[in-house]
Amino acid sequence: MTARGVRLAALGVIVFVGCAGARRRVEVPLSFVPPPLMFDWRRELISDVVQAWTPIERSAVGVDPTHGRLFVGVSDGFFRAVGAGDGATLWSVQALGAVHSEAVYDGEHDMVFYGSDGGAITMARASDGSTVWRRVLRGVVRQPAVLDGDVVYVASGDDTVTALGRTD
């Protein structure tokens, strides 16, 4: 047996003996066990059109807790606001390509930012989805925008970070 084999065998014996001697019963109170997951509502975001492929949704939801709105884009190229309480569509707008980025809600100005596979970053009014401005960058925008005061930072698929002013 090689030196490595001896070391591995010794380690195995130590682990086996250590685990065998470590029999302790751990009491877990029933109040610690979480209840089963229940749905309040569920909403399909892609139309019922028969497709030859299955879309993979990569976007994450932006949340407006004050007004009870959720913002999400999907691979069909639309960006939507839905009600947090029931999932009802509040508004839907055509984006510049599929939306796989996380929506970022700015509660101070009631605006929402989202990127698209068409390389655009869009600032829209959260109340109705109308575009305030849209800038087309050189690569897909799949990362969430970062807000810092009056500056919006955006990373795009061409390995660049762009700083935009909110009033651009």
Side-chain angles (χ1 to χ4, degrees):
M1 185 177 269
T2 66
R4 182 172 184 232
V6 171
R7 284 192 301 254
L8 286 175
L11 179 62
V13 169
I14 291 169
V15 169
F16 177 76
V17 171
C19 290
R23 292 185 180 186
R24 288 188 333 176
R25 185 173 177 182
V26 177
E27 296 286 333
V28 176
L30 289 178
S31 62
F32 181 74
V33 179
L37 180 64
M38 301 296 291
F39 289 108
D40 286 336
W41 56 266
R42 182 172 183 221
R43 169 72 199 283
E44 297 290 331
L45 294 173
I46 297 290
S47 67
D48 294 335
V49 176
V50 177
Q51 299 175 358
W53 52 276
T54 301
I56 298 173
E57 304 306 333
R58 295 182 175 93
S59 64
V61 175
V63 179
D64 169 9
T66 304
H67 300 101
R69 298 178 291 199
L70 305 175
F71 305 99
V72 64
V74 291
S75 60
D76 68 354
F78 283 88
F79 185 74
R80 296 172 174 85
V82 299
D86 59 5
T89 299
L90 303 174
W91 51 259
S92 177
V93 295
Q94 180 75 49
L96 191 61
V99 179
H100 292 296
S101 70
E102 178 179 348
V104 177
Y105 175 67
D106 173 11
E108 183 179 343
H109 299 97
D110 198 34
M111 298 289 173
V112 63
F113 296 83
Y114 62 93
S116 71
D117 282 7
I121 180 71
T122 302
M123 181 171 110
R125 288 181 183 83
S127 59
D128 61 9
S130 60
T131 299
V132 175
W133 55 252
R134 175 178 286 153
R135 298 296 171 264
V136 178
L137 308 175
R138 289 186 294 211
V140 299
V141 179
R142 290 190 172 173
Q143 299 301 316
V146 176
L147 309 179
D148 183 23
D150 286 333
V151 180
V152 180
Y153 296 98
V154 184
S156 56
D158 65 339
D159 296 326
T160 60
V161 175
T162 303
L164 301 165
R166 284 182 191 262
T167 58
D168 280 353

